[in-house]
Structures are given as structure tokens and as C-alpha cells.
Amino acid sequence: MTRETYINAALTFLLVLVPFWAWSTGQAYILTLCTKVAILALAGVGLNIALGLGGLVSFGHAAFFGIGGYAMGILASHAQVFDPIAEWPILIEGTKSMPVIWLVAMVSSALAALLIGVLSLRTSGVYFIMITLAFGQMLYYFTIGWPAYGGEDGLSIYVRNSFPGLNTLVPVQFLILSYVVLGLALWFSARLARSSFGLALTAARQNADRVETVGIAPFRLRLVAFVISGAITGLAGAMFADLNRFISPTMFSWHTSGEIMIFVILGGVGRLYGPVVGAALYILLEHLLGGVSDYWQIFLGLLLLAVVLFARGGLIGTLAGREVAHG
Amino acid sequence: MVEPLLQTRGISKSFGALKASSDVSLDLRPGEIHALIGPNGAGKSTLIKQIAGNMKPDSGTVHFLGQDVTALDTVARARLGLGRTFQISALAMEFTVLQNAVLGALGARGDVMRFFRPVMKDSALVERAREALERVGLQDHAATRTAELSHGQRRQLEVAVALTLKPRAFLMDEPMAGLGAGGSKRLTGFLDGLRAQAPILLVEHDMDAVFALADRISVLVYGQIIATGTAAEIRTNPEVRRAYLGEEDAA
């Protein structure tokens, strides 16, 4: 057991304790905040696979977050007015079922990641950042000009989608659902980091020549990582849309990409719990400082600056020390 | 005559007016160490890159295992069995020594797209990696972070990673660079034994090592091979003395 494992265990405990306390004292608002943390952390877990493991500084993950959101919005909006999405060549109807929506969100954001990845992973460094940003912004302006789903105003979904066996409108039930999904994603990403694929991917981040010389093509590794990363962030987008029962082009904007990246950097790039800590800290600051000043993000900026300058491993890195090679 | 394992046929490469390689024909036969020497700027690195697949020659072909590999990239050539070490250590510095070796073994096995099983618990891979570490004498450092290795140990690890690939031929770019006299001697002894496993195309500045090891030596000057022969032949070749060794004597 390393120090980081203990810290992660303590964080898990805290993440469960807070909503439990909120639930037992009847503070539904806190429950919703915790749900938001879990969903945003999930988006960060997705980005962390590309950024942390693969070293791919994607400034366009809002694209996948937004696609997930719009997958939910489109399916649910058609379902709520009983208007099929397409009648020809086959009948495609909307749905209010979360598992189906999640699947559609993940598949469509994975496909988008495949396309964007194939085009952008031929570049690196600043060019990669700019191309991913450009794709995100392209989708942003596309949705602004797409009146069928609310255009610039976005689109409201009146009733939260359903999950078999749960009443998702009860905050604590939706919270548990989000926690379970986040837990599964964390488990998956921990397994991934230690797998053959993870070893080769992290090696490609450190030294692409090395990986090529042992007969592994870095491009394929990065593309697969980008697709997995996009799919998880897409799932987070669908859940975030469900949390708010609202979608809008903002989900696609570069602010969103930046926020997801901030979660990862604040918590610790490449650290399993980095995005969780980052998202929690972000929401906490927004909640505490947002009440003090509308310009609370100034403080966020200062914090981010401090982390980047003095605590390169993010919060987890500062607490746990250098990453211990798992062997 | 034995069929060469690795061969370049009339490779030329220019950068603008500079001819980095001009009509270079070179071969590597089974069981030999073939050293490539030449003064700085002679085009050794450019030649190595064309053999390894990082760079495409303007004309000429590269053959490996009887196959024209000119169109293949580094990855494909590595998969065919070209084990390369770099002049400047190309290792995953955050990894442990063992992880770097396991990466090599993984590349050799070729099933990298596995997403669940912990790779460091894959006994076949770890075994192969440890075996390679043992051969270069790094077994006691398996758990050390690669960044903490000394320069010489990194060179050893480079060789170990190449070994995990069980390559058909080695391509070594200045493996002795930056080693002390002791380290250089040890590595020389090791490479001496390695040629039986697979021949080595050795680019090296350390003349003691080259003359001790090489079955044949090729001398590259201004992108051209001016002589190929045994150590004794090269030592007495007047053109080589003038172009290369002479310079060193004068210096």
C-alpha cells in the first residue's frame, strides 16, 4: 500500500461521508452538489486518460461532453413529445431510458473522438491543442445555429430520464447512481493504467522513440486512448445534462474544455483520483466563494497558478509525493 | 559467401546542397560486428536513421532478412527484428528499470491492446524482461526508477531492452558514449559475446572498443564510405589515415 492509496481511500470515505451527512440532515442541495462533483469528476477521469496517461493535451474535450449532452437532449426531447427522431428508412424513436441514452452518448462521442483523433493526433504540442480546440468550437457554433434543438438558448427536458429500478428524481438515488458510474470509471481507469496498453501508452508519453523501437506504433495507442477518453467524457456529458435537465451550446464551449482540464490539473495530472479532487475543489470554491463574489474565478485562477508553479503533481501529487511505479 | 542479414544498396540522401549519404552500400553478415566509424558530421546518424526507418533515402534501398524494407517505418522494421539502441538514451525515465524491459518484451510479443490484465503480473513478460536485465547485469536495479540510473546503467538498460526483442540484428548508435573506461571495457566484453546471438552494426567513437570488437570496419567520410575492411586493413589504409585517423593524430 502506497501513501497515494491511503489518500484515495480517505477521499472516497469523505466523498461518501458528506452526502450521507447531507442526506441525514435533509440538505438536498448538498446532495445535488455532490452529484455534480461526481459527474464532473467523471468527465475529468475521461480527460485524464488522454492527458495523464497519454500526454495528449486535448483542449477540445468539451466536444465529447457536449455530444454526450446533446445525445441525451435529442433522445429525451423527442421522447417527451412522442415525436420520432426519424421515420425513414427505419423508425428511430426518442427514449427516456438512461442506459440507452448513455450507450448512445458513449458510442457517438467515441466515434467523434475517433474522427477528431485521426485528424489531430498527427500533430503534437501546440498544434494538437489548437486543433482539438478548433473541433470543439466548430461543434459549439454548429449547435448555436441548430434551431431544432434550441439553438443558442438550449433545450430543457422536463422530467429526468429514468433508470430501471430507481427513481432518479430523488436526489439521493441519482447521487448514488452517479457515484457508482464514477466508481466504475475509476476502477476501469486504474486497470487501464496498469495494463499492457497502459504501460505502452505511458511509455509513448515519455519517449515515443522508445515505443517505436520496440515495434509499437504510438499513433494507434494514442488514438485508442483518445477514443476511450472521449467516450467517458461523453458519458459525463449525458449525465450532466440529466442533472440539469438542460442542454445548451455552452457544453461545447472552450470554457468547458478548460474547466475539465482544470479539474485534472488541480487534482493531479495522471493521478487516479486527480479529477475527483479537482472537481470537488472546483465545486467547493464555486459554492463558497461564489457567494462572496461573482468574480470568484479570480481566486480559482490564483489557485491554479499556485498549483502549476509550486505543486506540479496537483493536490494528490503534493500529498502523496512522486508517483510510485506500480510493479 | 554468407547472405548478409542487413544491407544498404546505394543509399543517397541530401539536405539541400549537403550530401549526407552518397551511394552508401554496407552490409551486416551473420555473426559479425561491423563498426561504422567516421569523423563528426560524416553522416553516421543520417545513415543510421535510414537503416532504422526514421528517414527515407532519396535513392537506394535497405534490405533486411532478404526483404526490401525501404518503404517500411521504424515500427515495422523493429517488428521484423531490428534491435536498436540510441546515442542518447531513449528510455521511459519515470518507469522502473523492469518496466522499461517489460515494455520491450511486450513489444516483442505484440499484444499491446490489452486493457485489463496488470502487465507487471504477466509472468511470461516479466520473466523475459528479468532475463535481459540479468544478461546486462542490471538485475539488482530492477525496481530502481530509470531516471535515477547512472549514465552507464542507462546504456546497459538500452541494450537490455533491445535484448528483450530477441532481435535478428542490432543497430547500436554509440553505446559507449559517455561511459568511463571501466564501463566501456565491460560493455565491450558484453558486446563481444553478443555477436553470436545476432550481428551488430556498431556506430562508435571509442576507437579502442572498435578495434577490439569489430570484425569489419567501414569508414564514412562526407557521406561516403571510403573503405571497408578488417581492423588491420583499416589501420594501414592510407586514405583512412589521411581522412580520419590523421585528423585525430593532429588534434
Side-chain angles (χ1 to χ4, degrees), chain A residues 37-54:
Chain A
V37 167
I39 293 172
L40 292 178
L42 181 66
V45 169
L47 178 63
N48 208 17
I49 289 172
L51 178 62
L53 300 183

Side-chain angles (χ1 to χ4, degrees), chain A residues 255-281:
Chain A
H255 290 98
T256 306
S257 293
E259 273 172 27
I260 301 173
M261 202 183 286
I262 287 172
F263 305 150
V264 177
I265 294 171
L266 273 185
V269 177
R271 302 306 180 112
L272 182 62
Y273 266 62
V276 180
V277 176
L281 201 63

Side-chain angles (χ1 to χ4, degrees), chain A residues 57-65 116 129 132-136 226 257 261:
Chain A
V57 187
S58 164
F59 205 14
H61 259 51
F64 313 125
F65 195 70
I116 295 175
I129 298 176
T132 48
L133 171 66
F135 276 112
F226 200 67
S257 293
M261 202 183 286

Side-chain angles (χ1 to χ4, degrees), chain A residues 5 48 59 117 134 155 175 187 191 203 233 246 282 285 310:
Chain A
T5 318
N48 208 17
F59 205 14
L155 186 65
L175 171 102
W187 173 80
R191 294 289 293 201
T233 302
F246 177 68
Y282 186 92
L285 285 176
F310 305 114

Side-chain angles (χ1 to χ4, degrees), chain A residues 187-188 191-207 209-218 220-221 224 228 322-323 325-327, chain B residues 74-75 78-79 82 84 86 89-96 99-100 102-104 106-108 111-120 145 148 158 161 165:
Chain A
W187 173 80
F188 171 75
R191 294 289 293 201
L192 191 74
R194 280 151 203 261
S195 69
S196 301
F197 176 77
L199 184 82
L201 179 66
T202 43
R205 163 170 59 80
Q206 299 169 57
N207 198 318
D209 282 339
R210 169 43 60 211
V211 176
E212 285 185 1
T213 309
V214 300
I216 303 170
R220 275 186 60 202
L221 296 171
V224 171
I228 295 173
R322 197 168 62 199
E323 194 162 20
H326 28 73
Chain B
T74 325
V75 174
R79 296 214 56 79
L82 191 60
R84 182 188 187 191
F86 289 86
S89 294
L91 295 162
M93 289 297 169
E94 295 166 25
F95 278 1
T96 62
Q99 280 177 313
N100 265 300
V102 166
L103 178 70
L106 180 66
D111 56 347
V112 68
M113 290 296 169
R114 285 164 171 258
F115 303 93
F116 288 104
R117 265 183 63 192
V119 66
M120 298 308 286
R145 233 170 90 97
E148 281 156 19
E158 281 259 330
V161 176
L165 299 170

